Amino acid sequence: MKLTTTLVCMCCFILFGHAQQQDAPSPIIFIYDASGSMWGQMQGKTKMEIASGVLSTAINELPENQEIGLVAYGHRKKGDCNDVETLLAMDNSSKTKVSSAVKTIKPLGMTPLAYSATTVIDQLRKTKKKATIILITDGIESCDGNICDVVKAAKMEGIDFKLHIVGFGLKANETEQLKCAANAGDGNYYDAADAGGLGDAMNEVVVQTVDKKEGNFGVYAVKNGVPIDSWVRAYSTDSKKEVAAVRTYGETRYMYLPPGKYDLIAQPLSSNVKAVTIKNVAVIDENKTERTISFDGGKIATNTTNNGEGWDTMVKIIDENGDVAASGRTYGRVKELEVNPGTYKVEIQALAMKGLDTYHEVDNITVTAGETTPIEHDFKTGTIHIYAKVGGEDIDSIVNIKEVNTGKGVDAGRTYNRGKEFLVNPGMYQIKIQPLGVHKDKNPQTITVELKKGQTITKSLNFEG
């Protein structure tokens, strides 16, 4: 019995140990820029200080059993294109050693990107391991090498790795070779313009490892034909849970989505462009597909009139969540408002007129990118002139107008010794006139009028002197 128990325990230990080994992630190897340009200042700190802090923060989020290698270039000899050193082997499991090592590096020399990549690839060739390589650089190749050619050759040889490159403060015309290398290495190029951008890039890049299932769903975000940077998150249509997310960086970037249906929420990283939602996107299989997400707006053109003439109104466009997507004032002209593609409600409030028909609502207006959807509405009014008189002279009075059927007060005003004009919707109205000032003790008079579209009614009410 004792022997049986011992054997069972040994088997469990072996199986458990094997599972742990299987679950251990593949190494991540950082290639760290220690060229002289890393002394450059950015936001009050050297780029070396910023990169060191960001790298330390990023690796702290990695699993405890993550192996992390560190290779640096340009830190020992000025002008030496072979100055590449493995500071920590890829089987290092101490995050503290990585943080300590980068803090002691003193930038000095050249930027041998191709030779640095060759050094790491040689290590993978010898160990026959697969790994994620993350290159951080603030400059382009300065030693006549071509990192893209190095990576392509290694992939043709069958060496298993994923290469990401983070460009720190590079100019747009300096990134072509780096993008080529990242693409050849089945990874991404990340452009970091400042400390915040470097932090964002590092947080994303450390989870896009060689172990992660290859992306099958590519997204590309554009606004008026120009690519823009955007976060795209995919939610299961059924469970509403987030399944995957990717940042586009102005390019086509991939995430892995199992076959199924998804709602995509794309949030542009630009303050003047609003998020869009694309529902029920079907992923049929694991073959690569791509989706262009357009932030091009469509327009709603509102033309409001009163008795056929252009009229001033306030317009609100309400989205499916009940939020105001856009608003504006017509000033008697056609008003165009741009919104994201989708379905909206349009609310129109007429100005200057009174009555029960000064508000109009149009539901289920479909807006398509690049197209203009027209909406027209004609309000109707008539005019009532009221004069209060004593002995043939105009006097000051207060006028209250109620709609007869509802008893609702629709307008009020004072005649100020010159009469008062009221612009109201057609209808049956009860009008009460109460003299003011020296005549305030006189009894009010009430009249009823029926007003039709375009009609002008003038009423003079005489009060005894």
Side-chain angles (χ1 to χ4, degrees), residues 54-201:
V54 168
L55 178 58
S56 297
T57 300
I59 64 174
N60 282 335
E61 300 300 319
L62 294 173
E64 288 302 319
N65 61 343
Q66 176 66 63
E67 295 178 333
I68 309 170
L70 178 64
V71 172
Y73 62 81
H75 60 298
R76 294 177 298 182
K77 296 179 183 178
K78 193 172 184 178
D80 185 355
C81 284
N82 293 320
D83 184 15
V84 177
E85 181 183 13
T86 299
L87 299 176
L88 294 169
M90 72 176 78
D91 60 358
N92 165 63
S93 59
S94 171
K95 299 175 183 178
T96 302
K97 285 183 179 180
V98 178
S99 299
S100 298
V102 294
K103 287 177 182 177
T104 60
I105 293 173
K106 303 300 180 187
L108 181 66
M110 305 294 283
T111 307
L113 300 180
Y115 184 53
S116 299
T118 299
T119 300
V120 174
I121 289 167
D122 283 346
Q123 295 173 5
L124 299 180
R125 183 184 290 110
K126 291 173 184 176
T127 60
K128 301 188 184 305
K129 286 186 176 183
K130 67 177 181 177
T132 305
I133 305 171
I134 301 173
L135 167 62
I136 305 168
T137 180
D138 81 327
I140 58 176
E141 175 72 51
S142 62
C143 292
D144 297 325
N146 189 315
I147 188 173
C148 187
D149 289 345
V150 169
V151 174
K152 285 179 178 178
K155 283 292 184 179
M156 288 290 291
E157 188 181 335
I159 297 174
D160 193 359
F161 66 94
K162 179 176 283 189
L163 170 66
H164 297 299
I165 299 178
V166 182
F168 187 26
L170 291 175
K171 297 177 182 176
N173 61 357
E174 296 176 329
T175 62
E176 183 178 353
Q177 191 179 107
L178 300 178
K179 288 180 177 179
C180 174
N183 184 61
D186 299 322
N188 295 316
Y189 172 79
Y190 298 85
D191 189 37
D194 52 26
L198 183 61
D200 290 343

Side-chain angles (χ1 to χ4, degrees), residues 35-41 45-48 105-108 138:
S35 62
S37 58
M38 288 291 280
W39 284 115
Q41 292 280 322
K45 293 183 178 180
T46 65
K47 287 188 276 187
M48 173 188 66
I105 293 173
K106 303 300 180 187
L108 181 66
D138 81 327

Side-chain angles (χ1 to χ4, degrees), residues 179-227:
K179 288 180 177 179
C180 174
N183 184 61
D186 299 322
N188 295 316
Y189 172 79
Y190 298 85
D191 189 37
D194 52 26
L198 183 61
D200 290 343
M202 290 300 295
N203 288 336
E204 182 177 351
V205 77
V206 293
V207 298
Q208 303 296 328
T209 67
V210 69
D211 296 326
K212 194 167 185 178
K213 202 155 187 176
E214 184 179 0
N216 63 334
F217 190 82
V219 287
Y220 179 64
V222 295
K223 169 75 173 175
N224 297 327
V226 179

Side-chain angles (χ1 to χ4, degrees), residues 281-401:
V281 175
V283 176
I284 307 300
D285 51 38
E286 297 194 355
N287 293 326
K288 277 193 171 183
T289 59
E290 295 180 1
R291 178 73 178 248
T292 296
I293 298 176
S294 174
F295 290 97
D296 292 1
K299 293 181 179 179
I300 294 178
T302 306
N303 181 26
T304 52
T305 55
N306 174 27
N307 297 341
E309 300 292 331
W311 197 254
D312 194 12
T313 56
M314 295 299 301
V315 180
K316 288 183 181 180
I317 301 177
I318 311 298
D319 65 20
E320 292 179 298
N321 296 321
D323 298 324
V324 178
S327 62
R329 187 171 173 177
T330 64
Y331 292 102
R333 301 181 295 271
V334 175
K335 179 65 178 180
E336 292 187 346
L337 294 171
E338 183 174 334
V339 292
N340 288 331
T343 302
Y344 297 90
K345 175 173 69 176
V346 179
E347 298 178 349
I348 305 169
Q349 179 63 61
L351 302 177
M353 68 176 67
K354 302 291 182 178
L356 303 182
D357 188 24
T358 64
Y359 172 83
H360 183 68
E361 190 175 286
V362 186
D363 291 322
N364 298 319
I365 297 297
T366 300
V367 176
T368 305
E371 296 185 6
T372 300
T373 302
I375 292 178
E376 295 184 355
H377 183 71
D378 184 46
F379 291 97
K380 299 173 178 59
T381 61
T383 304
I384 301 174
H385 288 278
I386 298 295
Y387 296 90
K389 296 179 180 290
V390 172
E393 298 292 329
D394 290 322
I395 64 169
D396 191 13
S397 65
I398 186 74
V399 180
N400 287 284
I401 301 178

